[in-house]
């Protein structure tokens, strides 16, 4: 049974930082592209970042967010710096099995999802 469990969300002031974690179990972690998505109230779920052998970011977080993975711990991280109120959303971890270097940035491509963690940035 595949499980993705996010943690690290919370309330932070604009300009602050948070570090999200996603622990995976039940899958061969190093064969998967891992991604972060977010969904704000009334909006569609949007891609934030992904990591396999390389990293990829949506334009709005480039230079502020850093995605990383620790294959030994089957965990990915999202370091979020210089947070803005528009970053407020529920953040989801997702996984898709991959054997190539394509960028997986569509939610429909991902097979497994976590339950989400709330990030709130106050102005």
């Amino acid at each position: 049974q595949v499980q993705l469990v996010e943690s690290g969300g919370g309330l932070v002031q604009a300009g602050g930082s948070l570090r999200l974690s996603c622990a995976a179990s039940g899958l061969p972690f190093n064969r998967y592209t891992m991604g972060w998505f977010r969904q704000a109230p009334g909006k569609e779920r949007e891609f934030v970042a992904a990591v396999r052998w390389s990293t990829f970011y949506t334009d709005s977080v480039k230079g502020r967010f850093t995605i990383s993975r620790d294959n030994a711990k089957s965990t990915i991280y999202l370091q979020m710096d210089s947070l803005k109120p528009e970053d407020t959303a529920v953040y989801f971890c997702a996984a898709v099995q991959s054997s190539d270097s394509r960028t997986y940035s569509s939610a429909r491509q991902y097979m497994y999802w976590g339950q989400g963690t709330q990030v709130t940035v106050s102005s």
Side-chain angles (χ1 to χ4, degrees):
Q1 180 181 359
V2 176
Q3 281 193 314
L4 303 178
V5 180
E6 302 98 334
S7 60
L11 173 64
V12 64
Q13 287 188 332
S17 299
L18 281 175
R19 188 193 194 207
L20 305 184
S21 300
C22 172
S25 60
L27 52 75
F29 185 76
N30 61 358
R31 296 181 186 177
Y32 280 71
T33 291
M34 301 298 296
W36 286 100
F37 288 76
R38 65 187 180 187
Q39 188 166 18
K43 295 188 177 181
E44 293 187 354
R45 191 168 299 189
E46 67 168 348
F47 172 77
V48 175
V51 60
R52 180 68 162 98
W53 296 288
S54 57
T55 59
F56 185 76
Y57 301 90
T58 192
D59 286 346
S60 63
V61 307
K62 284 181 181 177
R64 300 189 299 121
F65 291 10
T66 303
I67 189 171
S68 61
R69 66 188 295 157
D70 185 336
N71 288 338
K73 295 182 178 180
S74 297
T75 300
I76 63 168
Y77 305 95
L78 186 68
Q79 178 65 42
M80 305 185 294
D81 298 319
S82 302
L83 282 161
K84 304 175 181 180
E86 51 264 43
D87 294 318
T88 295
V90 177
Y91 283 70
F92 297 90
C93 170
V96 55
Q97 189 168 6
S98 63
S99 58
D100 53 35
S101 59
R102 282 181 294 166
T103 298
Y104 291 81
S105 59
S106 170
R108 290 175 293 180
Q109 295 174 300
Y110 284 77
M111 300 168 60
Y112 302 108
W113 292 85
Q115 81 289 349
T117 186
Q118 177 70 47
V119 171
T120 303
V121 184
S122 63
S123 58

